[in-house]
Amino acid sequence: MQVDVLLGLQWGDEGKGKIVDVLCPKYDLIARFQGGPNAGHTLEFDNKKFVLNTIPSGIFNKNTLNLIGNGVVIDPIILKKELDGLKEAKVDPIAEKNLVIARKAHLILPTHQLLDAASESKMGSAKIGSTLKGIGPTYMDKTGRNGLRVGDTTLSNFKEKYEKLKEKHLNILSHYGEIPDFEEKEAAFFEAIDFLRTIPHVDSEHLVNRYLDEGKKVLAEGAQGTLLDIDFGSYPFVTSSNTTTAGACTGLGIAPNRIGKVIGIFKAYCTRVGGGPFPTELDDEVGEKLRKLGHEFGATTGRSRRTGWVDIPALKYAIMLNGVTDLVIMKADVLDTFEEIKVCTKYNYDGEVIDYMPYDINSIKPEPIFETKEGWNADTTLIRKKEEVPEKLKTYIKYLEKTLGKPITYLSVGPDRKQTIKL
Ligand code: GDP
Ligand code: IMO
Ligand code: MG
């Protein structure tokens, strides 16, 4: 058995949570492999809406085990809040025994968040637009070999380790200016750590490999998007983890030859939240229309998302990096009332026409070259079967499949679980 991977091909918020929820009945295990509560994965069904930050999106299926992998960074306070929220909705993963957490996952401390905020406030116009959840500083401590891990919470010297790391953070923070009060947060942190101890801790590498050896089906759930990858994204306007398929190997403990299908999710247009380059961005009424119809406001921070047309060179780059085998097109319904749809196929870049994403898109802006496609001008939100898809939307999908060189296996026409069509 091999692990299938599902991840975003753009700058995040492609609709990963929705599709994991749709596909999870086919899997025995859903495993988040990187990122942290900077993610917001939205699921809608039975007139209910849930936003998950740390918990994998298979949590509503009682028969699926959900693993928070070692590559994830965990804010215990947020995780507790998520679980409390689920409990209010009569979903109790601890009682159902369908949530486990990797011992090797790193912890986000209250002072990691202070460091995130302090660092961003000094950046001026070069701000990354971080979600300020402490993601960058936590991964820095992980690679700096200072981090605290979930497994440490069961050791007798946990408090000592915490104090040592906190001291280090306070020392750094003192160089930024006055340190905000965080006593309340610290109390909440320790309360949440007690709670974290009640969630079963596992060795993700052993669990996932055992599942595969037993012939069970595993889906790895990515967070953020390929263009936010620490190595291959629009650096430095990226997140601090490998959001690409390779991240599933290190973020769970599986060998590269155990990767099976790679399901790449993309919107029929494109969005980005936070700072950094966005070649196809629309700063006009069309962009505003996409934002309004697509409800493009962040699931985690509520920030307004930047909008633009689909970017083929960027998608091809993402498909290559991830070894995508199957594509899923999201939010096609948002384009239902558009007479024309634009697709960026190439860029004018530094006096040349190119069809790939160049190294530097920060100081030299790639100017998109668009092709115009006919819109389908029909309400797609009630479509449930492949046969009902309007001809012009089929033509658009065929065009994308041919251009991207991979099959589009699902079409999403609304936020609800039911608004998903197998192609
Ligand atoms: P994720 O981070 O990739 O899981 O995506 P988010 O949940 O942050 O953002 C996707 C947003 O689009 C959420 O509000 C979803 O409910 C919504 N959504 C998902 N699929 C569709 C779709 O096909 N059409 C529309 N209109 N909304 C969708
Ligand atoms: P999901 O999983 C969209 C963006 C932030 C910022 C940059 C760095 O919901 O798709 P960080 O908090 O990681 O230091 O922020 O990355 N970002 C996301 N954008 N979706 C996300 O997650 C994101 N997670 C981080 O806006 O530009
Ligand atoms: Mg999101």
Side-chain angles (χ1 to χ4, degrees):
M1 268 293 171
Q2 295 196 303
V3 175
D4 292 344
V5 182
L6 183 147
L7 41 72
L9 299 180
Q10 295 163 319
W11 275 287
D13 301 328
E14 297 89 350
K16 299 173 289 292
K18 171 183 163 165
I19 299 300
V20 171
D21 172 60
V22 168
L23 297 181
C24 74
K26 295 186 184 179
Y27 290 93
D28 300 294
L29 174 67
I30 306 291
R32 258 286 296 273
F33 60 87
Q34 45 68 236
N38 48 349
H41 295 178
T42 316
L43 287 72
E44 287 193 36
F45 52 86
D46 303 338
N47 295 317
K48 285 182 283 196
K49 177 174 165 174
F50 298 93
V51 178
L52 299 171
N53 303 117
T54 326
I55 298 173
S57 303
I59 205 70
F60 295 98
N61 186 2
K62 288 183 183 164
N63 301 322
T64 306
L65 183 66
N66 288 268
L67 162 69
I68 302 174
N70 58 275
V72 177
V73 288
I74 295 163
D75 181 331
I77 304 175
I78 296 181
L79 178 61
K80 182 172 182 297
K81 238 188 236 155
E82 278 184 76
L83 284 161
D84 288 346
L86 289 178
K87 217 170 177 178
E88 268 171 40
K90 308 247 177 313
V91 179
D92 189 350
I94 296 179
E96 295 293 342
K97 295 189 174 34
N98 72 335
L99 178 68
V100 294
I101 184 164
R103 284 192 182 92
K104 294 190 175 81
H106 280 246
L107 294 171
I108 302 176
L109 272 49
T111 41
H112 279 130
Q113 279 170 18
L114 297 182
L115 285 166
D116 215 354
S119 149
E120 275 280 84
S121 73
K122 288 277 181 269
M123 303 267 265
S125 62
K127 263 193 186 40
I128 290 166
S130 163
T131 59
L132 304 179
K133 303 288 177 193
I135 306 296
T138 306
Y139 279 115
M140 280 164 74
D141 273 333
K142 175 177 177 174
T143 52
R145 296 159 294 178
N146 295 304
L148 286 186
R149 304 192 287 181
V150 167
D152 294 337
T153 62
T154 60
L155 305 178
S156 57
N157 65 349
F158 176 66
K159 190 80 202 293
E160 230 170 90
K161 282 178 170 239
Y162 169 86
E163 290 295 333
K164 201 169 152 210
L165 187 54
K166 181 177 92 176
E167 276 315 306
K168 182 185 156 228
H169 292 165
L170 293 179
N171 189 7
I172 302 169
L173 283 163
S174 67
H175 297 280
Y176 283 100
E178 206 178 318
I179 303 171
D181 184 44
F182 63 100
E183 262 174 40
E184 232 174 86
K185 198 87 196 245
E186 199 172 40
F189 175 82
F190 280 103
E191 198 188 312
I193 288 289
D194 285 340
F195 177 74
L196 188 77
R197 292 191 185 104
T198 67
I199 305 172
H201 298 178
V202 298
D203 296 311
S204 54
E205 61 279 32
H206 291 303
L207 175 78
V208 178
N209 284 289
R210 178 166 53 79
Y211 260 58
L212 297 176
D213 292 343
E214 288 170 356
K216 291 182 178 152
K217 293 200 72 187
V218 181
L219 178 67
E221 173 179 357
Q224 289 81 54
T226 301
L227 303 175
L228 288 169
D229 182 271
I230 183 72
D231 282 282
F232 299 106
S234 47
Y235 194 87
F237 299 97
V238 292
T239 190
S240 301
S241 62
N242 281 116
T243 58
T244 40
T245 303
C249 294
T250 55
L252 296 174
I254 44 173
N257 61 3
R258 296 214 93 156
I259 300 290
K261 273 206 282 191
V262 180
I263 304 162
I265 311 277
F266 69 104
K267 282 180 188 169
Y269 49 101
C270 192
T271 63
R272 170 162 208 171
V273 58
F278 182 1
T280 63
E281 182 167 17
L282 292 164
D283 256 332
D284 57 11
E285 68 278 8
V286 180
E288 196 47 52
K289 185 173 169 186
L290 286 172
R291 180 157 35 250
K292 196 161 162 253
L293 295 177
H295 302 290
E296 295 298 353
F297 299 92
T300 302
T301 57
R303 289 179 295 174
S304 160
R305 294 181 186 141
R306 299 155 66 191
T307 53
W309 292 117
V310 99
D311 184 334
I312 298 284
L315 277 178
K316 281 189 173 166
Y317 181 60
I319 290 168
M320 173 189 83
L321 287 170
N322 291 305
V324 167
T325 58
D326 299 63
L327 291 164
V328 177
I329 185 166
M330 306 300 294
K331 301 188 96 159
D333 57 297
V334 174
L335 302 181
D336 280 356
T337 57
F338 283 68
E339 296 288 329
E340 288 183 340
I341 293 161
K342 291 198 178 165
V343 181
C344 165
T345 53
K346 294 187 176 83
Y347 309 119
N348 263 318
Y349 181 77
D350 205 14
E352 262 185 83
V353 173
I354 59 168
D355 61 1
Y356 60 90
M357 191 152 254
Y359 170 74
D360 177 16
I361 60 171
N362 291 317
S363 58
I364 310 172
K365 184 181 182 301
E367 296 296 337
I369 301 174
F370 290 114
E371 275 182 25
T372 302
K373 308 285 168 200
E374 245 186 293
W376 43 92
N377 270 295
D379 181 359
T380 57
T381 57
L382 299 173
I383 292 177
R384 299 292 175 266
K385 291 197 205 98
K386 185 178 166 180
E387 299 72 47
E388 297 162 6
V389 177
E391 277 313 309
K392 282 181 187 158
L393 174 51
K394 278 190 191 149
T395 308
Y396 181 58
I397 289 172
K398 281 212 184 91
Y399 161 79
L400 288 172
E401 286 184 318
K402 188 155 177 265
T403 311
L404 298 171
K406 299 290 166 199
I408 298 181
T409 51
Y410 284 93
L411 160 70
S412 177
V413 292
D416 195 275
R417 200 188 253 173
K418 289 202 189 97
Q419 292 171 302
T420 317
I421 300 141
K422 181 146 177 45
L423 298 175

